[in-house]
Amino acid sequence: MNILIIGSGGRESAFAWKIAQSNQISQLYIAPGNAGTGQYGQNVPLEVTDFDGIADFVLQNDIDMVLVGPEEPLVKGIHDFFLDRDDLKNIPVIGPQQKGAQLEGSKDFAKQFMVRHGIPTASSQSFDKATLAEGLAYLETQKLPIVLKADGLAAGKGVLICTTLEEAKAELQAMLAEGKFGEASSKVVIEEYLSGIELSVFVLTDGDSYKVLPSAKDYKRIGEGDTGLNTGGMGSVSPVPFADDEFLNEVEQRIIMPTINGLKEDGIPYKGFIFIGLMNVEGKPYVIEYNVRMGDPETESVLPRIESDLVDLLQGIAQGNLVDRSFTLSPKTAATVVLVSGGYPEAYESGKTISNTENVKDSIVFHAGTREENGVVNTAGGRVLAVTALKDTLFDALQQATADAGRIYFEGKYFRKDIGFDLI
Ligand code: AMP
Ligand code: GLY
């Protein structure tokens, strides 16, 4: 079969790497891909929201399945676009329709969904411009710190943790009245602050049954010791040592099953990945957020642990018989270290030549923000490469990935040398 992957980051590189190993694949395409994805398939110069261009490509190249990596095309309705067209509706899209994508596209929708279905999450209330005064009054009744979340997609920047009432009030005002995050903050969720350790679980569903994929922990802050600005993710490990069977069983009973059943009860069809961001508060899981895709860089740690054919699971989603599929998992630990451009997540330069990746022998180098220019591979984004090692122990995986991250060179390169060591 022929598969088209939509996206261009480290996550899509990991998908391409894994899918290319399947013996069910004839042609693999990645749109638009990056300088690394070309080794697993063929890059196609199409933007992820160019639905007409994607449709033409799919029809001209006999694509049998479309796997959507990032949230933006899902929230903008790529799956609905396929279902609405007679010539495309039979080509399966892995990723939810617009309605299900609201779990990520609207924090208010996600909160209402969780409350409706009794899924443990921080208590919250939502406000818009018309109810700004009520919002400011509500803040006075809440404990500090307090969390303000822009309702819509804000490129990972829409969550503010405020430690004083003055700051919280000023930020609420800026978000609702001054459009701090544009349209995304026309509504704001004010949420109780949860104190604990974060981790993520990944679920694959055909809308009826589900499979729980390996859990992972990502490291969002730019600085060592979890300091500084938030990023898309600086590294990840899988499995997560503190997520033992008892905890994961609780996650399945109290969160995953009610989520899948809730989608069914609400009449929301869902074929794709659900990424559940969790806070472990004294051993009890609470949902921090839903994403309607896999995580990045979590995918780079999760997929190398899946030993069996991922395409088999994807077929199960497409055909609605996921219940009959199974997968096998490596007991090893995967650790991923992300190499970023100097300055990221603020302003950074691109176009720096990357060298020495060929000297990495014991890790997988997944490309993220890279571009081939005149035969050389240059940096082309904030997060440039993700280096993943799979070893018998967490310590060995971390040592290997961190050492290999150090072997690669480009001007301004930065990476955290402490990813995962807090878990040892
Ligand atoms: P999100 O964009 O929802 O993933 O939020 C970004 C980050 O903000 C999360 O990864 C958490 O570290 C933090 N965060 C979000 N909600 C809460 C909360 N209720 N309590 C504590 N931290 C939170
Ligand atoms: N690593 C977090 C995310 O993919 O949203």
Side-chain angles (χ1 to χ4, degrees):
M1 65 187 295
N2 301 330
I3 294 189
L4 171 66
I5 299 174
I6 307 283
S8 64
R11 167 184 48 217
E12 289 76 22
S13 291
F15 271 127
W17 168 84
K18 181 67 185 161
I19 289 172
Q21 295 168 36
S22 169
N23 57 20
Q24 302 185 60
I25 292 293
S26 321
Q27 294 290 335
L28 175 63
Y29 299 96
I30 309 97
N34 57 43
T37 51
Q39 60 190 302
Y40 315 121
Q42 191 180 321
N43 288 341
V44 183
L46 285 170
E47 288 310 313
V48 301
T49 53
D50 177 5
F51 295 173
D52 289 317
I54 291 169
D56 290 345
F57 182 85
V58 161
L59 293 171
Q60 283 158 16
N61 293 276
D62 294 323
I63 299 298
D64 300 297
M65 179 185 284
V66 179
L67 169 61
V68 185
E71 64 279 11
E72 193 190 0
L74 295 168
V75 172
K76 290 194 168 148
I78 190 169
H79 195 154
D80 312 71
F81 176 90
F82 271 63
L83 291 175
D84 286 345
R85 276 191 38 181
D86 281 339
D87 54 349
L88 294 172
K89 69 180 180 204
N90 293 323
I91 299 168
V93 175
I94 309 299
Q97 290 160 247
Q98 216 162 9
K99 202 160 175 209
Q102 287 294 94
L103 281 181
E104 178 166 1
S106 166
K107 306 253 187 213
D108 180 49
F109 177 93
K111 289 306 276 198
Q112 289 187 30
F113 176 88
M114 286 184 261
V115 170
R116 190 158 60 242
H117 299 292
I119 295 165
T121 186
S123 67
S124 74
Q125 211 158 309
S126 299
F127 299 92
D128 60 17
K129 202 170 175 178
T131 55
L132 171 59
E134 284 98 312
L136 293 169
Y138 177 77
L139 283 175
E140 305 217 359
T141 67
Q142 297 301 301
K143 277 198 285 208
L144 292 166
I146 185 92
V147 185
L148 306 187
K149 298 185 170 183
D151 177 56
L153 294 183
K157 298 193 169 70
V159 175
L160 303 174
I161 296 171
C162 301
T163 48
T164 67
L165 181 60
E166 293 66 39
E167 183 192 359
K169 284 183 164 180
E171 291 293 0
L172 185 67
Q173 175 91 22
M175 286 164 94
L176 288 177
E178 292 143 36
K180 176 163 180 157
F181 299 108
E183 184 52 30
S185 66
S186 59
K187 196 185 274 183
V188 171
V189 177
I190 302 181
E191 186 173 289
E192 166 199 12
Y193 178 83
L194 296 176
S195 181
I197 316 179
E198 286 183 70
L199 74 155
S200 302
V201 298
F202 302 94
V203 179
L204 198 50
T205 181
D206 58 4
D208 189 34
S209 71
Y210 65 87
K211 301 279 181 221
V212 184
L213 301 178
S215 57
K217 175 166 168 52
D218 102 21
Y219 290 78
K220 286 205 171 81
R221 302 295 194 98
I222 188 72
E224 288 173 4
D226 290 326
T227 54
L229 294 173
N230 255 324
T231 70
M234 296 296 293
S236 59
V237 301
S238 174
V240 184
F242 63 81
D244 56 17
D245 286 348
E246 191 188 335
F247 180 81
L248 290 175
N249 185 45
E250 176 118 356
V251 170
E252 186 162 4
Q253 300 294 326
R254 299 201 54 205
I255 293 171
I256 297 174
M257 285 165 60
T259 298
I260 302 296
N261 290 333
L263 289 167
K264 277 193 247 184
E265 279 168 30
D266 292 351
I268 301 174
Y270 200 110
K271 285 176 176 285
F273 293 92
I274 309 177
F275 162 157
I276 310 178
L278 298 171
M279 190 74 85
N280 175 345
V281 183
E282 288 163 10
K284 297 281 170 210
Y286 288 79
V287 178
I288 290 279
E289 63 168 344
Y290 286 112
N291 294 309
V292 298
R293 51 171 175 84
M294 283 295 288
D296 191 356
E298 293 92 327
T299 310
E300 294 94 302
S301 285
V302 167
L303 291 186
R305 294 192 54 224
I306 296 179
E307 289 173 329
S308 51
D309 186 357
L310 182 68
V311 174
D312 195 48
L313 292 177
L314 300 180
Q315 294 267 43
I317 300 184
Q319 295 165 8
N321 57 13
L322 188 61
V323 67
D324 301 327
R325 313 283 175 150
S326 58
F327 67 101
T328 53
L329 204 57
S330 165
K332 293 185 179 184
T333 292
T336 301
V337 175
V338 176
L339 280 65
V340 304
S341 298
Y344 172 82
E346 298 188 281
Y348 58 82
E349 289 178 19
S350 287
K352 309 294 183 191
T353 297
I354 301 167
S355 56
N356 274 357
T357 51
E358 68 281 4
N359 291 331
V360 175
K361 310 274 190 226
D362 285 320
S363 298
I364 313 163
V365 180
F366 293 117
H367 286 231
T370 65
R371 188 183 299 135
E372 198 170 319
E373 285 161 327
N374 306 318
V376 293
V377 177
N378 287 334
T379 66
R383 292 192 290 170
V384 176
L385 300 164
V387 176
T388 299
L390 187 67
K391 294 282 173 188
D392 287 336
T393 66
L394 175 60
F395 185 79
D396 286 348
L398 291 169
Q399 289 264 53
Q400 188 69 52
T402 307
D404 282 333
R407 289 188 168 91
I408 299 169
Y409 179 74
F410 56 86
E411 193 187 316
K413 177 188 83 167
Y414 169 77
F415 65 98
R416 278 180 58 170
K417 296 172 192 72
D418 67 333
I419 298 297
F421 285 100
D422 57 316
L423 299 173
I424 289 177

